Amino acid sequence: MTTRLTRKQRQAQTRERLMESAMRVFSEQGLDGASIDRIAAAAGYTKGAFYANFESKDELFLTILEDRIDRRTKEVERVWSEDDESPPEQARHSAGDFARAIRADPDAPRLFLEFCAHAMRDEAFRAELVTRFARLRERLEEAYARRARAYGIEPAIGMDRIVRMVIAICDGWELWQLLEPDAVDERLLEETMEAFTIGLGVTSGALEITERPS
C-alpha cells in the first residue's frame, strides 16, 4: 500500500529533487550558464515549481551550500566528540571521512569551484557566501576548542586561525584531487591532517599530544 505524502512532505521532496538537479546542472554548465528551466526540467518539474520553492538561482545555490556545510559540520562534530582516540587519530579519521565523501560525490568539488568563481563576479553573492562559511568556522572552532580543553592543550595560535588552516588544507586537497586524482589520494589528506595536528601540539608547547593527560 502506497503511503500518501502530506503537503509539507511533498514540498520537501520537491525541494530536495530541485537541489539534486541543480547540483548536476551547475557542475556541468556553471551557475551563469544553467537556466532555471533546465534545472526544473532535469528534476521533472516546471519553472512554476522552482519559483514555489526558491526566489532565484542564487538562493538555490546558497541553500545547497548550507545543506552541505551542515552535513559536513555534523560529521566533524561527531568524530571530534569521541573520547577513545587521540587528536592525531581523530584528525586522520575525520580527513578520511571527508576524502571518501568527496570521492563518492564527484560533483561536489566542481560545485565548490562554482561557488567561488561566481562569488568573484558578484559582490552580493560573495558577501552571502562569506557569511555562511563564517558559520561553518564558528561551529568547527567550538568543536576543536572542546577537544583542546579535554586534552589540556592551549595552542599558541588562535583557534580561529587554526580552523582557517584546516579549511585551507582541505580546499587545497579538493582542488588538486580534481587535477591529479591518482597522486592526491585519500591517504595524502589523512597524513597531512595527522601531521598538522601533531605539529600544533609541538607549537603549543605540549609535551605529548597523542595520549590523554592523566
Side-chain angles (χ1 to χ4, degrees), residues 61-89:
F61 212 18
L62 291 168
T63 300
I64 291 171
L65 175 63
E66 287 182 331
D67 179 69
R68 287 175 172 270
I69 285 176
D70 185 60
R71 292 183 187 184
R72 179 56 192 153
T73 306
K74 286 179 179 177
E75 179 60 22
V76 171
E77 290 171 341
R78 181 192 65 78
V79 172
W80 284 89
S81 67
E82 297 175 353
D83 294 330
D84 58 344
E85 293 184 327
S86 68
E89 290 173 329

Side-chain angles (χ1 to χ4, degrees), residues 140-157:
L140 292 180
E141 284 174 30
E142 292 172 1
Y144 286 21
R146 284 195 299 270
R147 298 309 291 156
R149 289 194 296 270
Y151 282 88
I153 298 169
E154 295 183 7
I157 304 172

